[in-house]
Each structure stands twice: as structure tokens, then as C-alpha cells.
Amino acid sequence: MNTPRLGIGLKAFLGANVPADLASVLCALAEASLPVAHLIRRGSLGGALDAAVGPAHDGIAQTALDVFADKSFVHGLKGSGVRGVVSEERDDPVKIDRDGALLVAIDPLDGSSNIDANVTIGTVFSVLDAPAGAFEGGQFLQRGMRQRAAGLVVYGPHFSFVFTTGEGVRIATLDPDANEYRVLDRVPLIPAESNEFAINAANSRHWPGPVKRYIEDLLEGDEGPRRRYFNMRWIGSMVADVYRILIRGGVYLYPEDSRPGYERGHLRLLYEANPVAFLIEQAGGAAIDGFRRILEVEPMNLHGRTPLIFGSKGKVERIARYYREESVLTNESPLFARRGLLRR
Ligand code: F6P
């Protein structure tokens, strides 16, 4: 049997390879994730983690674990050089250190609907430079291409701290014996080819035309225009889908749709789409909102939503082409926008 390699401790890795200001905030985030990871690992022994607590936030009930994770990260960032935090769990941004030079946008607990089911959940974060001037929420409204770092914590069968500072993607795995993340030498590049796609098919009747057309092509498998079989995977925790796509390739779609409240999709630009897009691009993939590269989208407000499509580059480019073709056909000649006429 091969002896597994023991990776470098995350702190030591960050100290040697990453600018000091980013190393400080990444270490603080990794540290803050440990009590969250511990609680998740204990499952129902740690209490009813999925219990609704406090008032509903943006129409969705906050769970005990959402609140615990939010407090752990906000508290853990104190003293790490961060001026303020915007969290999915709070309407308003929180001031941390007046002299901090960085901002953090975070979804402390992604995939809350999976807590009771013992399915992978996670944390998503984005790190930006704090502009000059006293702290205020408008400082977070920067395009994703200005992110200095981004990452995920994946609480799955094993726990991983996945991050980028703009020089590829690294994955650190939690060593449960030492309670420390270790960086192994694997730097994933998203495979260009994959048979997997991820979308919530329950919403298919509400999807926009280009997404309907793309998924219909895949579902036709080897009898359809793609001439091969595809497999669907939808976990319901974006972090888990991101992790799988980093490792195995594929594509994830949460498009805009015709349900009230979903006109701009479901995911948040600042602390879900932007960090994921940064990671995915750093791993050789692509991320768009249908027409635009996610990292170029101008945020309009702190909790604004965006359609999100990311994964293997060729797949994302194909979907972007379907969007362009549909917009040309529907704008110039709605008669020709029927699916059969759009086939290659
Ligand atoms: O709110 C974020 C999120 O839970 C993602 O983690 C997940 O991919 C998606 O929403 C699931 O949404 P739905 O329940 O509509 O399929």
C-alpha cells in the first residue's frame, strides 16, 4: 500500500507563497472554519443545526448553523487586516478593523437546505482591496476581476479549503488528526471534456430559451446533435458542484428564469458568483451570466443576484453562443427563434 503524502501545513504554505496581507486573511478564514467544521462533523450530536432561528432573512429562514458560521467567520477576521465584511446572513456590512486594508464578502454557509440530509455544504468567500476613505458598504461594489483572493471551504466526506490568489488554484485538506489544513501538491486544471452537467431540472419550464436548447441537446444523448451520452448531477450545494467540476470538469447552470424573483437568477454576485468565477477561471474554466463574463459584471448592490453558468471552457462557450444566437434571432426575426432552426 502507498503511504499517503503529508502536505505542507496551510500556514507554512501561505507564508512562503502568498503576499503577507492575503496570507493573514486566508489563515484567519481557515482558522475560523475549524469550529464550523467541528460542529458539522458532530452532526445531530451538536444539536439541531438545521433548526430555524431568528427572523427569516430575505425570505429564507436562517438555520442555527448559518448563524454559528456567520459569527465564527466575522469574529475570526478580527485582527487579520480586514476593514469590513459583507455576509449573506446580514443585511448590512460589518465594520471589523478601521485600519484594515482588505474587504471580505462571504456566504458563511452555502447549501443550508442540505444540513439535515448529511450532504456536503460549504463556505464561499471573496477578498478585495478596501478603497480609500471611511468604511461604507459601497466599497464592496467592485467588479470580480478586482478580487485579490477567493475560495471555498467544503464540508464533505473530507473537508477542504480551496483558494486562489490569482496564481492557479490550491486545495488544502483538513487533517482531522492534527486539526490543520494541509496543502498537497495537486493544482487542478478543469478537464476540457466531461459528460456531466448540473442544473435543477425541476425549473425547466421556466428556463430561458438558450438553456432549454442546451439541456435538450444533452438529454438527447447519442441520438441527438451532440452524438454522445451525458449524465446529470445536481447536489443543491453549489460548493460541492464547484469542487466536483474543479476535479472532474462539467458545467453548472443556475440561469435567470421566469419565476417571480428569479429574473436575475438565484445566486449572489459578490459572495457566490464572483469567488466561484475567480476560482474556475484560475483553473482554466469559464464563468458567465449568459452573455457576460461574471468577473466583468458591475455590482449594483451588496446582495444583488446574477444568473451563473460555469465550468469547462468549451461547454460554457457553447452556452454563450446559444445565448448570442437566440438574442440575434429573437431581436431580428422572432419567427426564426424556433429550436429546430437553431440546430447546427
Ligand atoms: O442558495 C445557494 C444554493 O443553495 C446553492 O448552493 C445551490 O446550488 C442552489 O442554491 C440550490 O438552489 P435550488 O434549491 O433552487 O435548486
Side-chain angles (χ1 to χ4, degrees):
M1 199 176 94
N2 289 336
T3 317
R5 290 188 49 193
L6 196 59
I8 312 169
L10 182 65
K11 256 188 196 161
F13 175 85
L14 291 173
N17 292 275
V18 171
D21 59 338
L22 295 180
S24 162
V25 67
L26 290 171
C27 279
L29 288 162
E31 285 284 324
S33 75
L34 293 177
V36 181
H38 179 74
L39 193 60
I40 292 169
R41 203 165 35 209
R42 286 179 54 78
S44 44
L45 300 176
L49 303 183
D50 61 322
V53 294
H57 179 77
D58 201 14
I60 300 167
Q62 280 182 307
T63 67
L65 188 57
D66 284 322
V67 173
F68 181 88
D70 175 73
K71 284 189 181 147
S72 184
F73 285 105
V74 169
H75 181 75
L77 285 168
K78 290 191 175 130
S80 68
V82 169
R83 190 183 302 173
V85 178
V86 63
S87 163
E88 180 171 33
E89 300 306 328
R90 302 171 189 239
D91 289 333
D92 300 318
V94 192
K95 188 162 152 185
I96 305 274
D97 293 325
R98 200 180 50 188
D99 300 328
L102 296 169
L103 301 172
V104 170
I106 191 163
D107 177 359
L109 211 282
D110 173 65
S112 324
S113 69
N114 275 327
I115 296 171
D116 59 345
N118 194 13
V119 170
T120 298
I121 49 183
T123 297
V124 193
F125 60 85
S126 161
V127 182
L128 295 159
D129 278 324
F135 177 66
E136 48 102 10
Q139 296 182 334
F140 289 89
L141 302 181
Q142 305 182 38
R143 290 179 193 200
M145 57 202 298
R146 301 191 58 182
Q147 290 171 103
R148 298 269 324 277
L152 315 170
V153 190
V154 184
Y155 313 104
H158 60 264
F159 294 0
S160 303
F161 187 84
V162 182
F163 62 99
T164 183
T165 56
E167 297 190 348
V169 176
R170 291 278 174 173
I171 296 181
T173 303
L174 186 65
D175 174 347
D177 300 329
N179 203 30
E180 189 190 358
Y181 287 104
R182 296 194 171 278
V183 184
L184 298 163
D185 51 9
R186 177 166 190 177
V187 182
L189 263 192
I190 298 178
E193 281 304 315
S194 159
N195 286 343
E196 291 178 337
F197 65 99
I199 190 164
N200 185 344
N203 302 324
S204 59
R205 68 190 185 285
H206 305 291
W207 291 339
V211 170
K212 275 191 182 148
R213 178 186 165 206
Y214 179 76
I215 300 295
E216 279 171 16
D217 285 357
L218 303 187
L219 294 180
E220 285 176 25
D222 49 9
E223 293 163 22
R226 304 295 298 276
R227 305 236 169 282
R228 60 197 177 98
Y229 175 78
F230 291 87
N231 197 20
M232 186 164 74
R233 285 279 179 274
W234 178 253
I235 299 176
S237 293
M238 183 184 61
V239 281
D241 284 312
V242 176
Y243 194 90
R244 187 193 61 251
I245 288 171
L246 284 171
I247 303 297
R248 300 210 301 230
V251 67
Y252 170 107
L253 304 93
Y254 209 125
E256 71 284 10
D257 68 44
S258 62
R259 288 172 294 164
Y262 288 79
E263 299 82 1
R264 294 290 311 143
H266 172 56
L267 298 159
R268 315 299 183 135
L269 178 60
L270 285 188
Y271 42 79
E272 292 182 313
N274 273 344
V276 166
F278 193 15
L279 285 168
I280 293 286
E281 285 201 5
Q282 283 296 311
I288 59 170
D289 70 353
F291 293 101
R292 295 173 296 177
R293 184 178 166 221
I294 288 289
L295 295 183
E296 287 174 7
V297 175
E298 191 87 56
M300 305 308 282
N301 56 63
L302 291 181
H303 299 284
R305 297 177 194 271
T306 178
L308 177 61
I309 296 164
F310 65 82
S312 298
K313 207 171 193 166
K315 292 177 183 299
V316 176
E317 281 169 356
R318 176 184 288 270
I319 298 166
R321 174 159 68 78
Y322 284 18
Y323 267 88
R324 282 196 304 275
E325 287 174 357
E326 169 127 340
S327 94
V328 168
L329 287 167
T330 49
N331 289 342
E332 290 177 13
S333 176
L335 257 187
F336 293 103
R338 293 204 325 270
R339 180 172 177 271
L341 297 175
L342 287 164
R343 290 287 182 88
R344 291 146 312 281

